[in-house]
Amino acid sequence: MSTSDESPGEYLLIRNAAEKERLELQFKSWQASIGYLLHPSITQHDRMRIADVGTGTGIWLREVAKILPSSCQLDGFDISDALLHDKSNLPQNITFYLQNFLQPFPEQFIGKYDVINVRVMVVALSSDEWEPAVRNLMTLLRPGGYLQWVDCAAHKCIVKAPEGANPVNANRGIELFRKTMNALGKTPNIAALYGIFQKSGLDSCEEQIITLENPEVRDNLNLSVAIAIAHALTAAFKLHKLEDIQSEDEIAKLKEGMLEDLRTTQCYFCFDVHVVVGQKS
Ligand SMILES: C[S@@+](CC[C@H](N)C(=O)[O-])C[C@H]1O[C@@H](n2cnc3c(N)ncnc32)[C@H](O)[C@@H]1O
């Protein structure tokens, strides 16, 4: 595994095979409600240069490679390559670079991109890092290029349950997740992202808010959230920032309890995804 300079804040997830699998599951279950990879307002052409920042497994880039001509150049940036899908099996127009996106990018990337995509940074960035991140990413854009950011209001995730059901573990998981995010300063107001885009000087800003409630992918979404909670709690436990949990075994039991609640009580995790887009003048 390679890692570039670490972010000043801690990353609140783990990087292993189970997290890779979870990210792919999460991507598919979000896409079932979002429906597009590039926001409809983004003008497309055959020679686009696109970057996915905090690319993780690279799933968004791999899906974009399927719908755009191979003449488009697709670059993935991440602070670590530990989650990246098998590098030898990536489409030839995808290139990966190690880069902390809170640090200035090397000159070769400045002003070169038609689209910068960012997705699911809610547990990666501390609350005061969102605006510097937007401003830093804007340096990558050509005039007329777009910044597209897809993220979720994780701290507002709720457990919806039928009357009379009592999903104790699912509720405890969400409560501990929220407490952990607060303890680590990951309390971003996603609703403020649109304002940050405007304040940073992006034009033609648009925001779409999508509540993830598609019953067709509910099981996969539930699974990806329960595992995300377990992984976040594990990361926090390893950082000694989780007083309520005494062992990793306790986290494993909580995860099993959440999955049992989801299976047996018809309850489900529900939250909003925000897609925010803006254009560099
Ligand atoms: C929750 S994952 C999301 C991955 C991918 N965007 C997706 O939607 O599946 C967050 C990713 O951002 C990366 N990351 C976190 N902080 C970063 C930073 N400061 N610079 C670059 N990448 C970062 C992590 O290593 C991880 O791969």
Side-chain angles (χ1 to χ4, degrees):
M1 172 185 119
S2 320
T3 307
S4 88
D5 292 347
E6 270 298 341
S7 156
E10 294 105 333
Y11 184 51
L12 193 50
L13 278 174
I14 50 179
R15 294 184 179 101
N16 62 11
E19 177 61 7
K20 277 189 189 190
E21 210 179 301
R22 188 197 70 80
L23 284 173
E24 306 257 324
L25 192 68
Q26 171 178 273
F27 178 85
K28 287 174 192 149
S29 50
W30 286 31
Q31 276 311 106
S33 296
I34 299 171
Y36 52 79
L37 294 164
L38 289 165
H39 188 271
S41 69
I42 295 178
T43 314
Q44 299 184 18
H45 58 85
D46 287 356
R47 302 222 148 258
M48 292 176 93
R49 186 165 182 187
I50 297 178
D52 183 32
V53 176
T55 194
T57 65
I59 185 155
W60 183 84
L61 281 180
R62 284 183 277 123
E63 292 301 308
V64 167
K66 290 179 192 164
I67 60 159
L68 291 183
S70 58
S71 49
C72 291
Q73 197 175 336
L74 308 175
D75 296 341
F77 293 93
D78 203 290
I79 201 167
S80 159
D81 64 2
L83 292 169
L84 190 64
H85 183 78
D86 179 9
K87 267 191 203 167
S88 58
N89 253 332
L90 290 174
Q92 54 78 29
N93 58 336
I94 297 183
T95 312
F96 176 81
Y97 300 93
L98 273 180
Q99 170 74 33
N100 180 343
F101 69 74
L102 295 170
Q103 303 284 329
F105 281 75
E107 192 55 38
Q108 69 188 100
F109 301 114
I110 302 299
K112 295 288 194 294
Y113 289 90
D114 299 288
V115 178
I116 305 296
N117 178 68
V118 191
R119 195 162 163 131
V120 207
M121 287 302 141
V122 74
V123 291
L125 294 180
S126 296
S127 307
D128 56 357
E129 290 173 332
W130 289 73
E131 186 171 338
V134 167
R135 291 186 186 272
N136 196 34
L137 295 176
M138 282 172 65
T139 66
L140 298 174
L141 292 173
R142 295 188 166 123
Y146 298 86
L147 178 61
Q148 168 177 283
W149 195 311
V150 181
D151 227 306
C152 67
H155 55 299
K156 289 199 174 158
C157 179
I158 55 166
V159 180
K160 284 203 176 175
E163 201 151 321
N166 188 15
V168 181
N169 294 293
N171 281 322
R172 176 147 195 268
I174 282 291
E175 186 197 314
L176 282 178
F177 178 62
R178 207 172 287 133
K179 207 167 161 185
T180 303
M181 287 184 82
N182 286 341
L184 286 164
K186 319 280 183 197
T187 52
N189 177 7
I190 304 296
L193 190 56
Y194 177 76
I196 292 176
F197 269 46
Q198 288 182 311
K199 191 171 149 198
S200 306
L202 287 162
D203 289 336
S204 311
C205 296
E206 288 188 44
E207 177 175 39
Q208 186 183 6
I209 301 173
I210 302 155
T211 302
L212 298 191
E213 278 199 296
N214 186 336
E216 282 172 29
V217 290
R218 185 165 289 163
D219 289 349
N220 282 347
L221 186 68
N222 280 339
L223 189 58
S224 77
V225 174
I227 299 172
I229 292 172
H231 287 178
L233 297 184
T234 304
F237 179 73
K238 288 185 173 162
L239 292 165
H240 309 289
K241 300 249 169 111
L242 194 56
E243 289 163 12
D244 307 70
I245 295 271
Q246 307 310 321
S247 67
E248 288 195 45
D249 192 42
E250 217 182 304
I251 297 172
K253 285 197 179 115
L254 177 62
K255 183 177 101 183
E256 287 315 312
M258 284 190 279
L259 296 176
E260 181 69 12
D261 281 354
L262 295 163
R263 260 195 311 268
T264 57
T265 72
Q266 306 293 315
C267 72
Y268 60 96
F269 294 116
C270 181
F271 55 96
D272 288 343
V273 161
H274 293 235
V275 182
V276 185
V277 188
Q279 199 172 13
K280 188 167 177 175
S281 47

